[in-house]
Amino acid sequence: AQTVTQSQPEMSVQEAETVTLSCTYDTSENNYYLFWYKQPPSRQMILVIRQEAYKQQNATENRFSVNFQKAAKSFSLKISDSQLGDTAMYFCAVPVPGNQFYFGTGTSLTVIP
Amino acid sequence: GAVVSQHPSWVICKSGTSVKIECRSLDFQATTMFWYRQFPKQSLMLMATSNEGSKATYEQGVEKDKFLINHASLTLSTLTVTSAHPEDSSFYICSARDIQRKFFEQYFGPGTRLTVT
């Protein structure tokens, strides 16, 4: 069975600083993708970054990057130069056969001015 | 691209009535759409998977006779909450997969806030 664990319910970071959100998962799949989604106060889910599990190179999207450790089944999100607009809930998601997502419980990130 | 709309964004209904929520993929075709329910400060809980032209697949514990899902076309899925009760009050989110993309990512609608009085 797939499980996704986000062990940090709440985090805060000073504006312009760097923060890392953790995610661990369990899956029986060999080829899969991993995603981080952001849900700001508007509650619109927004894709932040994706990682293809068969790629060793960590994905990067501007200020967002991942540290993907396949053997450890760890998929953390690093946000550099944090901005006030980064304040949101962040969810780690792992697709399973049938294309459903298993979502983690989320990390509430607050960027402090 | 990859925009998903939901209508209505907010609805209030009386206990015992039914309410329909529409989910549309505006600029892509979606053979598969998903319906989630989210309580305040909690994660998204998958309710059902909706496949175009076939019956929806419901997650364990979700009453299929209460939450009716219809996926009549490649761009439209509907969720009807029948005989609504106050405990059905929640935030409902739909998502869709773009059949042209290989990454299995889902594109989410803005959500519908349902309040049953």
Side-chain angles (χ1 to χ4, degrees):
Chain A
Q2 277 77 7
T3 59
V4 183
T5 302
Q6 292 181 249
S7 59
Q8 305 150 314
E10 296 182 356
M11 295 189 74
S12 62
V13 62
Q14 289 290 140
E15 194 175 5
E17 296 296 311
T18 296
V19 64
T20 299
L21 282 57
S22 66
C23 173
T24 58
Y25 63 93
D26 190 18
T27 180
S28 56
E29 298 297 301
N30 289 321
N31 295 319
Y32 52 92
Y33 300 85
L34 300 159
F35 301 91
W36 278 98
Y37 281 88
K38 165 185 176 180
Q39 188 179 41
S42 68
R43 303 190 79 170
Q44 170 73 60
M45 294 287 283
I46 301 166
L47 176 67
V48 175
I49 198 165
R50 80 169 76 87
Q51 173 75 43
E52 298 172 58
Y54 61 88
K55 286 190 175 179
Q56 292 186 342
Q57 186 174 7
N58 290 323
T60 299
E61 286 287 343
N62 301 313
R63 298 181 296 106
F64 299 90
S65 62
V66 302
N67 182 3
F68 175 50
Q69 303 290 329
K70 189 173 183 179
K73 294 184 177 176
S74 171
F75 179 56
S76 61
L77 174 69
K78 185 171 81 171
I79 306 174
S80 305
D81 186 26
S82 297
Q83 302 176 358
L84 296 179
D86 295 334
T87 292
M89 283 288 290
Y90 286 81
F91 294 100
C92 177
V94 180
V96 299
N99 302 316
Q100 302 103 310
F101 274 5
Y102 273 98
F103 283 95
T105 50
T107 296
S108 177
L109 176 67
T110 301
V111 179
I112 302 168
Chain B
V3 178
V4 176
S5 70
Q6 267 183 256
H7 178 80
S9 57
W10 179 60
V11 58
I12 300 175
C13 70
K14 292 188 176 181
S15 187
T17 63
S18 296
V19 61
K20 179 185 287 189
I21 302 170
E22 292 187 348
C23 177
R24 294 181 184 272
S25 56
L26 298 185
D27 50 3
F28 66 97
Q29 292 182 325
T31 54
T32 305
M33 290 185 173
F34 304 89
W35 288 95
Y36 297 87
R37 184 172 182 176
Q38 186 181 32
F39 292 104
K41 298 189 183 299
Q42 293 189 22
S43 187
L44 281 70
M45 181 187 75
L46 179 66
M47 299 175 65
T49 301
S50 167
N51 292 297
E52 186 265 340
S54 64
K55 291 184 178 181
T57 302
Y58 291 82
E59 295 299 298
Q60 190 172 6
V62 177
E63 299 176 60
K64 60 182 179 181
D65 294 331
K66 181 170 187 61
F67 298 99
L68 300 179
I69 291 172
N70 182 272
H71 194 156
S73 76
L74 286 173
T75 59
L76 173 65
S77 176
T78 60
L79 168 67
T80 301
V81 183
T82 62
S83 187
H85 291 285
E87 57 265 31
D88 298 325
S89 298
S90 190
F91 192 68
Y92 293 88
I93 304 174
C94 74
S95 70
R97 274 199 61 220
D98 185 345
I99 61 175
Q100 301 292 334
R101 290 176 175 264
K102 68 172 184 175
F103 296 117
F104 302 105
E105 64 197 65
Q106 295 181 19
Y107 301 96
F108 289 82
T112 296
R113 183 178 302 280
L114 170 64
T115 301
V116 184
T117 61

